[in-house]
């Protein structure tokens, strides 16, 4: 059986969606719910809930199960998706913690990894601190785009400015740590 390997940045883009995070949270809190129950729980339309659940499932984080005529969902890692188990473990740890706004935190962290240029910036800064100019020469993107990506990383706390250099900051959050371990070589 071949492992499926959805790109990390696309998976993170999926995790940065508010409705998807709320659906994941609802399934964490009450597993085994159908689309109608989930749509009501997170206050979105049935069609939207169905579409968002398919997006989550495509990243290997859900396990649908037929119960009679009903299709119910549970959080579960698809064994064909290598990144699913560590991500799901980190998400469950986040949902289980007493943090008041886990959805916002998940979205911010996921957004940090939600673009290939941001992943390239993180990988570069993990090797050594760099100036914006040095990073600009290495990453090869328009300066305005680089600034936008850097602002997202600065806001997430994964990068900081110190002495005119950009530095990678090792995260403590379980989701950020899991995502770092999944970075492509």
């Amino acid at each position: 059986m071949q492992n499926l390997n959805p790109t990390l940045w696309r998976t993170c883009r999926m995790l940065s969606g508010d409705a998807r995070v709320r659906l994941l949270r609802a399934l964490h809190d009450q597993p085994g719910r159908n689309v109608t129950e989930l749509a009501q729980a997170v206050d979105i339309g049935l069609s939207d809930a169905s579409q968002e659940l398919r997006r989550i499932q495509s990243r290997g984080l859900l396990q649908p199960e037929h119960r009679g005529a009903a299709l119910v969902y549970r959080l579960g890692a698809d064994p064909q998706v290598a990144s699913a188990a560590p991500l799901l473990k980190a998400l469950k740890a986040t949902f289980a913690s007493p943090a008041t706004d886990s959805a916002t935190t998940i979205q911010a962290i996921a957004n940090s990894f939600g673009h290939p240029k941001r992943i390239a910036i993180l990988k570069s800064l993990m090797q050594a601190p760099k100036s914006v100019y040095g990073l600009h020469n290495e990453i090869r993107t328009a300066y305005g785009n680089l600034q936008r990506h850097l602002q997202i990383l600065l806001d997430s706390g994964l990068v900081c400015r110190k002495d005119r250099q950009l530095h990678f900051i090792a995260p403590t959050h379980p989701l950020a740590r899991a995502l770092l371990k999944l970075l492509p070589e």
Side-chain angles (χ1 to χ4, degrees), residues 26-110:
L27 284 167
H28 174 268
D29 295 346
Q30 292 184 317
R33 297 164 95 180
N34 65 34
V35 177
T36 303
E37 294 167 331
L38 288 164
Q40 290 171 349
V42 299
D43 196 28
I44 60 175
L46 187 60
S47 175
D48 290 338
S50 180
Q51 187 175 57
E52 298 295 18
L53 288 165
R54 280 194 302 276
R55 285 184 177 125
I56 297 167
Q57 186 179 349
S58 75
R59 296 304 182 208
L61 302 175
L62 290 183
Q63 293 189 336
E65 172 187 319
H66 286 281
R67 270 201 207 140
L71 182 64
V72 297
Y73 293 90
R74 297 184 177 286
L75 294 181
D78 183 336
Q80 293 183 339
V81 180
S83 62
L87 283 178
L88 202 52
K89 182 179 177 183
L91 286 167
K92 287 179 178 180
T94 301
F95 291 139
S97 77
T100 57
D101 200 0
S102 59
T104 301
T105 303
I106 289 169
Q107 289 172 276
I109 291 169

